[in-house]
Amino acid sequence: MPGQDITRTSLWRTLRPTLLLALVLLCVAAGMFIWTSVLTSVRYDAEITPPQLYAAGGEEAVLRLQGINRLGGDVPYSAVPCRVQITEGHGLVTLRADADSVQWTLRATGEAGTVSMRVFSRAWPLPIFAYLRITAPMAHASRIAWSRR
C-alpha cells in the first residue's frame, strides 16, 4: 500500500502543472466570453419609463440611453450621455437633463398627444428614435364626451 501512495503523489505532481494550465485557460476563456457577450454594447436603446403619461397634473417620465449586449439583455452600468431633440409635440412636454446628461426627465404640460424624439450619442453614429404617448385621463375624456352631446 505505501507504494500506491507514492505513485499517486508522483502522478499528482506530474499532472498538477497541466491541470493548473487548463484551469487558467478556462478562466481566460470564461472572462473573454463575459466581456464580449455580456459587458460590451452592440447597440443602444432609448428607454422611457413609464412609456405613457397622463396629461393632467405634472406627470413625469425618465428617458435613458441603455446599452444592449449580444445576448439581448441590458449591459450593466452602461448609461451613456446623450442629447435629445423633440421632432413632434414640442409643447406637450418640458425637458430637463441631469448634470451629466445621462438621464432626461420629461414632464407633461397638460395636453394630450404623442411626442417624437431623436436621441443622439457619441457612442452610436445614428439617431435613436423614441416616442412618448400622453393621454387625457378618463374623467377628462368622459367630461368632453358629455359636453359634446
Side-chain angles (χ1 to χ4, degrees):
M1 295 288 167
Q4 289 178 343
D5 290 335
I6 292 173
T7 58
R8 284 185 187 163
T9 56
S10 65
L11 180 65
W12 173 249
R13 284 184 185 158
T14 58
L15 288 181
R16 185 172 24 180
T18 306
L19 292 175
L20 186 62
L21 179 64
L23 182 66
V24 167
L25 289 176
L26 182 68
C27 288
V28 168
M32 288 183 68
F33 172 77
I34 289 173
W35 177 258
T36 59
S37 296
V38 178
L39 298 176
T40 304
S41 298
V42 294
R43 66 181 175 94
Y44 290 89
D45 188 25
E47 201 173 83
I48 299 177
T49 309
Q52 179 177 347
L53 292 179
Y54 291 110
E59 294 241 341
E60 291 184 349
V62 175
L63 176 113
R64 292 185 64 192
L65 198 61
Q66 184 68 35
I68 307 296
N69 60 23
R70 292 184 193 274
L71 303 176
D74 292 343
V75 176
Y77 308 109
S78 70
V80 178
C82 58
R83 183 174 51 92
V84 177
Q85 177 186 14
I86 298 177
T87 56
E88 292 180 20
H90 296 280
L92 300 178
V93 294
T94 58
L95 283 173
R96 188 179 69 234
D98 61 351
D100 52 358
S101 297
V102 169
Q103 184 171 321
W104 291 76
T105 305
L106 306 159
R107 180 181 286 254
T109 58
E111 298 177 34
T114 302
V115 180
S116 301
M117 296 166 279
R118 286 193 286 186
V119 183
F120 298 95
S121 173
R122 291 184 181 182
W124 193 251
L126 301 172
I128 299 166
F129 294 96
Y131 302 96
L132 176 67
R133 185 172 176 206
I134 302 173
T135 59
M138 291 302 290
H140 182 66
S142 64
R143 197 173 336 131
I144 290 173
W146 277 102
S147 66
R148 290 184 182 168
R149 289 184 183 182

